[in-house]
Amino acid sequence: MATESIPGRRLCFQSNAGGSGDSFGRRLVRLFTCLVLTLGGCVYSHPDYPTSWSPLLHDSDPCSAVAGDYVDTGEYGSPDDRRRLPPPRLAEYLLGIPQGRSDATRANRVKIVFNEDRTLHVMAFHDAQLLATSDYSEQASTLSCHAASAEISIYSGISRGPVAGYETNVLRLEKSEDASLIIRNSSGSFGLAFMVIPAGGSQSTWLRFPVVQ
């Protein structure tokens, strides 16, 4: 695992995954409680790809490669996250559908289609019932197909109590050799407490969603 933090500081930071109702921005707000005492600091957590998972494919057209029909319930790459967090839900990451829905209206599969206009079309289903759709495109600058993965970028501001700043979230989608959808969820935040004390950091979380059989 490749992780690092600013030496000499004891920060109240606990890694967690996005999409579980507790975003990196919210965790940063809690982190400020400690940073106020330590007068600023940074936190980084970027684990390597899980060696127990099937190797990643390296397709020349990553956006086309991630098209498929996937089980909504996946797993975290971190054993610690698997122990203490509920399983990640693909519909929550790609469409913002909360996990608290009843079983009858909860997605159990997510279909991804890459269209000729280079738009990634995402659909959430409960069996055959379509629940929600979302589109990401290069034209709207929400999708990038020029790297080793299909990248979906989300930017938002942070304004909670004495904390102001911004948060970025990038979902890097790839396929593994066993046809699973692999997501590297990378979050980063920077802000100021009381407009004086700076703090920030970034973290990555690996997620895996199997293909529908």
Side-chain angles (χ1 to χ4, degrees), residues 128-162:
Q129 178 187 1
L130 179 64
L131 301 178
T133 66
S134 186
D135 292 304
Y136 301 94
S137 70
E138 292 180 305
Q139 184 175 2
S141 300
T142 54
L143 176 70
S144 174
C145 301
H146 302 299
S149 57
E151 294 188 1
I152 295 173
S153 300
I154 303 169
Y155 302 91
S156 61
I158 300 171
S159 181
R160 302 184 184 97

Side-chain angles (χ1 to χ4, degrees), residues 38-182:
T38 59
L39 299 181
C42 299
V43 176
Y44 302 93
S45 177
H46 296 282
D48 296 325
Y49 182 74
T51 57
S52 60
W53 288 3
S54 178
L56 292 170
L57 292 175
H58 299 286
D59 197 281
S60 58
D61 189 357
C63 287
S64 177
V66 299
D69 202 355
Y70 303 100
V71 177
D72 180 61
T73 303
E75 67 171 330
Y76 293 106
S78 164
D80 182 57
D81 286 344
R82 290 198 294 268
R83 284 191 301 269
R84 62 188 182 83
L85 296 173
R89 308 297 294 262
L90 186 55
E92 186 175 9
Y93 276 88
L94 297 184
L95 296 105
I97 298 177
Q99 294 192 34
R101 291 194 171 199
S102 66
D103 290 341
T105 57
R106 177 179 292 177
N108 54 19
R109 67 184 182 94
V110 174
K111 187 173 184 178
I112 300 175
V113 177
F114 188 56
N115 297 317
E116 292 183 358
D117 62 356
R118 303 195 67 78
T119 297
L120 209 63
H121 185 56
V122 184
M123 298 165 282
F125 291 88
H126 179 81
D127 297 333
Q129 178 187 1
L130 179 64
L131 301 178
T133 66
S134 186
D135 292 304
Y136 301 94
S137 70
E138 292 180 305
Q139 184 175 2
S141 300
T142 54
L143 176 70
S144 174
C145 301
H146 302 299
S149 57
E151 294 188 1
I152 295 173
S153 300
I154 303 169
Y155 302 91
S156 61
I158 300 171
S159 181
R160 302 184 184 97
V163 179
Y166 68 88
E167 178 179 10
T168 63
N169 196 59
V170 178
L171 302 176
R172 294 178 172 87
L173 282 61
E174 299 182 66
K175 265 284 186 63
S176 60
E177 291 183 359
D178 65 359
S180 295
L181 178 68
I182 306 297

Side-chain angles (χ1 to χ4, degrees), residues 24-34 158 160-163:
F24 192 59
R26 292 189 183 94
R27 293 190 295 279
L28 184 64
V29 173
R30 294 199 298 269
L31 178 61
F32 271 119
T33 303
C34 296
I158 300 171
R160 302 184 184 97
V163 179

